[in-house]
């Protein structure tokens, strides 16, 4: 598959974004909302697929111990209401946010699968200032990311 957009390098400032989530209507999540604490952005094609569900639930479990020391979000192009339904059904406390409106997150982070117009599977860790500290784009979208490496990178910032 071909990825559209700019390649995001470790060490650079993460591009600004505007994503949406369902909580008392549709709300907006921006990069500025994540700044001030290290953050992990888990990117999946769709929460309604087994690997994406596993990735989201695994990070939700593993990150629970870090509590409010970090920000964590799963990003997909699922509609915000579908994301909220998934989290409720699966008892996921991790925030989800959607790139469904403008697709600019996928383009700016180099994560849009050109052929499918979905986001590819990836993990991005940001420091408290919003710089990219770690990035993994999973080479085969049906495989899970390297949880240990992503969590180690995040823990180094806490």
């Amino acid at each position: 598959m071909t990825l559209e957009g700019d390649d995001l390098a470790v060490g650079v400032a993460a591009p600004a974004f505007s994503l949406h989530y369902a909580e008392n209507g549709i709300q907006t999540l921006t990069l500025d909302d994540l700044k001030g604490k290290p953050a992990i952005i888990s990117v999946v094609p769709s929460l309604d697929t087994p690997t994406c569900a596993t990735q989201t639930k695994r990070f939700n479990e593993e990150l629970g111990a870090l509590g409010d020391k970090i920000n964590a979000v799963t990003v997909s192009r699922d509609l915000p209401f579908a994301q909220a339904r998934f989290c409720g059904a699966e008892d996921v406390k991790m925030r989800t946010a959607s790139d469904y409106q403008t697709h600019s997150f996928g383009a700016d982070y180099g994560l849009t699968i050109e052929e499918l117009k979905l986001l590819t599977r990836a993990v991005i860790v940001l420091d408290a200032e919003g710089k990219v500290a770690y990035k993994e784009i999973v080479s085969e979208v049906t495989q899970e990311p390297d949880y240990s490496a992503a969590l180690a990178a995040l823990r180094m910032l806490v």
Side-chain angles (χ1 to χ4, degrees):
M1 303 267 176
T2 309
L3 293 182
E4 294 178 340
D6 301 322
D7 186 30
L8 185 65
V10 171
V12 302
F17 59 76
S18 181
L19 301 169
H20 298 90
Y21 64 97
E23 187 178 298
N24 300 320
I26 298 292
Q27 306 297 323
T28 301
L29 178 73
T30 67
L31 177 63
D32 287 340
D33 294 325
L34 300 183
K35 289 182 178 178
K37 298 178 188 179
I40 187 165
I41 303 172
S42 173
V43 183
V44 299
S46 175
L47 292 170
D48 287 325
T49 62
T51 307
C52 298
T54 297
Q55 179 176 333
T56 302
K57 291 188 285 187
R58 173 93 182 259
F59 275 127
N60 182 67
E61 283 178 27
E62 302 251 3
L63 296 170
L66 295 174
D68 65 354
K69 295 178 187 173
I70 62 151
N71 285 307
V73 62
T74 292
V75 177
S76 72
R77 288 206 174 138
D78 296 304
L79 293 178
F81 300 110
Q83 292 175 330
R85 177 189 40 78
F86 171 86
C87 290
E90 298 293 339
D91 197 31
V92 169
K93 305 298 184 218
M94 185 174 170
R95 171 170 280 162
T96 55
S98 180
D99 187 33
Y100 81 103
Q101 282 192 344
T102 66
H103 294 194
S104 61
F105 175 86
D108 293 344
Y109 282 68
L111 300 176
T112 299
I113 301 171
E114 183 176 313
E115 296 84 355
L116 302 175
K117 302 302 181 212
L118 294 173
L119 298 174
T120 194
R121 186 172 318 287
V123 181
I124 299 165
V125 174
L126 305 176
D127 69 14
E129 287 77 44
K131 281 189 180 175
V132 179
Y134 172 88
K135 177 186 84 168
E136 177 191 12
I137 296 176
V138 179
S139 60
E140 171 50 53
V141 76
T142 60
Q143 295 177 348
E144 294 176 54
D146 185 341
Y147 299 107
S148 297
L151 293 166
L154 181 65
R155 285 185 180 109
M156 287 178 49
L157 300 171
V158 177

